[in-house]
Amino acid sequence: MFGREKIEYKTVDQVRTMRRAGLVVADALATVRSAVRPGMTTADLDALAAAVIGDAGATPSFLGYHGYPATLCVSVNDEVVHGIPGTRELLPGDVVSVDCGAIVDGWHGDSAFSFVLPEADAADVALVEATERALWAGIAALATGERLGDVGNAVEDSIEASAAADGVAYGIIEEYVGHGIGTSMHQPPDVLNYRTRERGPRLKPGMCLAIEPMVTRGERFTQVLEDDWTVVTDDGARAAHWEHSVAILEDGIWVLTAPDGGAAKLGELGVTIAPLDV
Ligand code: MF3
Ligand code: CO
């Protein structure tokens, strides 16, 4: 999508502003996570997130983006990403991905998580956990790697390891990818979730990237529904999606949309974060 277009390198002050946006997004997602119950509609979740973002004095970034009509994307079961909140009631055992973006003083944050509602199928839980592990493996590669391609290698290796451990085959979506983020939600470079021959640009301080693996219990192929937004798996397999916005700084990385900056999850992987003072 972005080829060799120019990457926006951020100053430390700009990253501090992006952290503020990231924390608003984290707050909105945490509010949704603690409130969600079977019987709620996806529009109910959207209203909760909109209130948190509004109360923080921030702006939802999805609303109006290419005409997108909501604050969140809520994608259920075979929906991978870009599900539009509405009258759909969440049911026990549903696999739900919630994606949120916000703007503070012109700077963006973007993050998503997935979960399974109670009466969960163990295989759905395994999918969600495998996708989250792949997210953190990809983020860790920003600290330990040299080139952007190291992220895709790490995500794919993590998913393959989980598939072997879970005794299943997972599909990694290729038609949608992560992205640079800053004064716009989507900017160069593309961040692939799979291995390619391209090593990609060198990882450098000032880069801010949204890492977002999308993984299914079936094949990797997708379609877009009649609403022109909702991306579903071709084979009807359930999908999960996790995302964080991450800054690369002189001394290390900082997960802008994680309340703890990524300290806990990256610590498990032997990576120490390098947060700025705020
Ligand atoms: N958050 C999505 C992403 O990670 C984009 C949402 S599309 C929108 O790239 F239209 F809803 F904004
Ligand atoms: Co994104």
Side-chain angles (χ1 to χ4, degrees), residues 61-73 81-83 99-101 109-112 177-179 185-186 210 212 214 229 241 243:
S61 53
F62 299 179
L63 188 65
Y65 179 84
H66 295 283
Y68 187 77
T71 294
L72 296 180
C73 298
V81 287
H82 305 170
D99 191 346
C100 183
D110 185 7
S111 180
V177 297
H179 47 94
M185 174 166 57
H186 292 142
E212 49 176 323
M214 291 150 263
W229 282 104
H241 172 217
E243 175 174 22

Side-chain angles (χ1 to χ4, degrees), residues 79-141:
E79 298 174 354
V80 184
V81 287
H82 305 170
I84 302 174
T87 55
R88 179 179 188 150
E89 272 187 33
L90 296 174
L91 299 174
D94 277 351
V95 177
V96 186
S97 140
V98 181
D99 191 346
C100 183
I103 310 167
V104 170
D105 291 347
W107 293 88
H108 286 247
D110 185 7
S111 180
F113 72 104
S114 292
F115 58 93
V116 191
L117 284 169
E119 313 303 332
D121 179 336
D124 288 334
V125 175
L127 167 76
V128 166
E129 291 179 352
T131 309
E132 185 184 14
R133 274 195 302 276
L135 166 69
W136 288 103
I139 293 171

Side-chain angles (χ1 to χ4, degrees), residues 33-46:
R33 183 67 187 101
S34 58
V36 64
R37 301 282 182 277
M40 290 176 80
T41 67
T42 53
D44 291 335
L45 304 186
D46 198 69

